[in-house]
Amino acid sequence: TVSNAAKRLRPGITTEHNYASGVSPDWKRCVNESVSTAGDYCGGDLYGDLYAHSFAAKYYQGVSLNQPFEYMTSRCDADLYQHTVTKSEERLAAEVLLTAAHHGASLIIDAIEPDGTLDMRTADKIGRVYDRQIPYEKYFIGKPVYDAAVLYSVSGKYDPDGIGVNHAETSVKAVRRLIEEHIPVGVLSANDTDKLRQYRCIIASQISGIGEQTINALIGYVQGGGRLYLSGVCERKLVERLFGGTVTGFTASPTVYFSPSENAAVKFGEFTEKYPLQVNHRVPLISGSGENGVLARINIPSVCPGISPFVSIHTCPPGDLTGYPAVIYRKIGKGKILWSASPIENDDRPAVRKVFSEFMGLLLPADERTVLAELPKTVEVNMFRTGNCYTVSLLDYISADDERIVPPAGISISTPVSPYSVKRLPEGNDIPFTFDHERKRAEFVFEPFSVFDMYGVFFGIENF
């Protein structure tokens, strides 16, 4: 390999292969998971928003042979083609500290003038950004603590059913949804199915491009007590083996509705059988899966262009309720699975986001979550565990672009024993806390912050 040849010429060097295409949603940028193990550590240069950045950091962290992984981005706003427009200091700080929150290393790409000089104002700005990271670096140790993982297949970055979205896009959105719920979430490579049981819940969003081994591992994970959220039917064999039915095709209508059953209406927020949840793409039809656990059924518009002789001026209103399931929640073996015919996690509308939040509540109830926080949805929580400590970092996405201070709020950490102290890092100031012995949760109020903050929850024993 290229890495082996380089090491023969220069013994002792480390190598990295740019793996940006691994997390790019563009299906034309084709790679496979083997790139992540071709070098000593994983990384790539990327230019998406902060949610895409977090997704990439979680994926690189999971697949890199050694830590830290590397995340490269440009000082140019918003891409490499903007020669003189530079990101704000707060934006650069958010990007560097978001990588740091995952214990990764940042590389910031600058532009060189034709005469070979650099704009030293930019260099000074980058220096100030790294000055903000340095005090935290001694705490970049330990293993990540995740309640859930989004299962990601680099080989599945395509849309086999032609519904307009692909697995890569919906996986990034799935990570965003869990960030908004303050659920510590990782990204698990579809090649690493031996790690499935490290997570209480797996999200397989519009999953595609996986083989028989991964399908068997997912089924075994659920049967053994795992919780699985699955959307779409790109992998028909997986859906059919889990539910016993057959995928017979897709709706002809590009607009369909999910009509909740009466006993499941509470999980669908404002949506009811009469006023169901609208989905704006074709969805799969499953026959023979049985009635057990059907939370919603597909409703086909009776008034829709190209579907009926009648049209409504702007919309395709709900029509006929079918017998086809739209959402199924079922116990399988010792575990649970929730399947949605549509990747509703990809929908940014608040009313639909609430439905996905309710679905997560079925699979991962609040009292089982490691973190409960009264934080804005734009604050991501990351946790790492060492022998006698949890480090908890908070990063506010809004502060990256709009100056604001996140006000104090409560945060609760699940832990089997009471800590002996909670400290704000890196200063080490003691933070008052309480410990609920019945619920086994340590609770404290974090201080006001902008962009980034970190706390240490310390225990008096190793391997608590």
Side-chain angles (χ1 to χ4, degrees):
T1 66
V2 172
S3 289
N4 290 338
K7 288 173 185 256
R8 283 196 300 270
L9 293 171
R10 293 287 300 275
I13 66 168
T14 57
T15 62
E16 173 194 6
H17 294 264
N18 192 321
Y19 195 30
S21 295
V23 290
S24 166
D26 186 352
W27 64 270
K28 297 185 295 297
R29 296 179 179 270
C30 300
V31 293
N32 62 36
E33 281 87 351
S34 63
V35 177
S36 66
T37 56
D40 294 293
Y41 59 92
C42 195
D45 62 317
L46 295 155
Y47 309 97
D49 65 14
L50 289 174
Y51 292 102
H53 182 142
S54 183
F55 177 89
K58 295 174 192 298
Y59 178 68
Y60 287 162
Q61 180 196 66
V63 299
S64 185
L65 289 179
N66 296 286
Q67 301 296 333
F69 66 89
E70 182 178 47
Y71 188 99
M72 301 177 249
T73 193
S74 171
R75 63 87 180 159
C76 304
D77 195 356
D79 55 46
L80 285 170
Y81 304 105
Q82 312 307 314
H83 189 82
T84 61
V85 183
T86 300
K87 295 170 183 173
S88 70
E89 187 170 324
E90 294 304 290
R91 177 71 184 198
L92 284 171
E95 293 178 348
V96 167
L97 291 166
L98 181 55
T99 300
H102 295 86
H103 295 188
S106 292
L107 184 151
I108 298 178
I109 302 165
D110 194 6
I112 299 174
E113 302 301 323
D115 63 1
T117 62
L118 295 170
D119 184 345
M120 293 311 297
R121 296 174 302 170
T122 298
D124 290 341
K125 180 187 291 187
I126 293 171
R128 291 192 298 271
V129 166
Y130 281 117
D131 283 343
R132 293 167 71 165
Q133 174 183 295
I134 289 171
Y136 296 102
E137 290 178 355
K138 63 182 177 181
Y139 300 107
F140 296 165
I141 56 176
K143 295 183 178 181
V145 177
Y146 293 136
D147 285 342
V150 172
L151 188 68
Y152 178 60
S153 169
V154 172
S155 302
K157 297 194 302 177
Y158 56 97
D159 177 17
D161 299 318
I163 68 169
V165 294
N166 67 44
H167 164 61
E169 295 171 287
T170 63
S171 294
V172 173
K173 283 293 181 70
V175 165
R176 176 172 181 167
R177 297 295 166 250
L178 271 66
I179 288 172
E180 292 169 344
E181 295 291 314
H182 311 304
I183 296 173
V185 57
V187 175
L188 179 65
S189 167
N191 276 9
D192 292 336
T193 52
D194 57 315
K195 300 177 182 177
L196 284 169
R197 297 194 185 282
Q198 296 178 15
Y199 305 91
R200 294 173 179 163
C201 182
I202 295 293
I203 292 86
S205 177
Q206 202 69 9
I207 189 75
S208 58
I210 59 175
E212 191 76 22
Q213 182 177 345
T214 303
I215 290 173
N216 291 337
L218 283 169
I219 293 171
Y221 167 76
V222 176
Q223 291 174 336
R227 296 92 177 271
L228 175 65
Y229 171 83
L230 175 65
S231 59
V233 294
C234 297
E235 292 293 345
R236 284 160 173 68
K237 186 181 293 186
L238 174 62
V239 176
E240 292 174 350
R241 285 181 59 185
L242 283 167
F243 296 110
T246 302
V247 179
T248 59
F250 279 74
T251 58
S253 173
T255 299
V256 296
Y257 292 86
F258 289 5
S259 292
S261 59
E262 186 176 345
N263 63 339
V266 67
K267 300 300 180 186
F268 284 80
E270 66 189 55
F271 302 107
T272 65
E273 184 173 328
K274 184 176 181 180
Y275 302 104
L277 188 161
Q278 181 172 341
V279 173
N280 297 312
H281 58 78
R282 298 180 306 116
V283 298
L285 303 173
I286 298 181
S287 297
S289 58
E291 300 296 315
N292 177 25
V294 175
L295 300 186
R297 299 187 185 281
I298 295 171
N299 182 307
I300 304 293
S302 55
V303 177
C304 200
I307 304 301
S308 71
F310 305 102
V311 296
S312 173
I313 186 171
H314 292 303
T315 63
C316 300
D320 301 321
L321 186 63
T322 72
Y324 293 107
V327 179
I328 302 173
Y329 175 59
R330 187 175 291 179
K331 291 184 178 181
I332 296 178
K334 297 178 181 179
K336 301 174 183 178
I337 180 169
L338 195 151
W339 171 78
S340 173
S342 166
I344 64 168
E345 60 275 15
N346 198 55
D347 199 315
D348 289 324
R349 294 172 294 179
V352 184
R353 292 205 317 254
K354 289 180 181 178
V355 176
F356 183 71
S357 176
E358 290 288 343
F359 289 174
M360 285 296 99
L362 287 171
L363 294 172
L364 198 58
D367 61 359
E368 296 182 15
R369 298 180 186 181
T370 301
V371 176
L372 298 175
E374 300 166 0
L375 289 160
K377 288 184 177 295
T378 55
V379 176
E380 177 173 351
V381 179
N382 280 288
M383 287 183 60
F384 281 77
R385 175 174 174 165
T386 62
N388 69 336
C389 175
Y390 280 134
T391 55
V392 183
S393 67
L394 312 172
L395 189 133
D396 179 36
Y397 286 35
I398 294 295
S399 300
D401 297 311
D402 298 308
E403 293 184 11
R404 79 163 180 180
I405 301 295
V406 179
I411 187 166
S412 168
I413 307 294
S414 174
T415 174
V417 296
S418 175
Y420 74 81
S421 70
V422 175
K423 297 180 182 292
R424 190 180 192 185
L425 304 176
E427 298 89 352
N429 300 333
D430 284 315
I431 302 296
F433 73 93
T434 60
F435 183 70
D436 187 321
H437 289 271
E438 183 177 346
R439 297 169 59 230
K440 301 292 185 184
R441 303 195 75 91
E443 300 173 346
F444 63 95
V445 175
F446 66 82
E447 301 288 321
F449 75 97
S450 178
V451 181
F452 185 79
D453 206 357
M454 181 182 281
Y455 292 83
V457 181
F458 294 92
F459 298 83
I461 56 174
E462 293 285 328
N463 302 315
F464 56 93

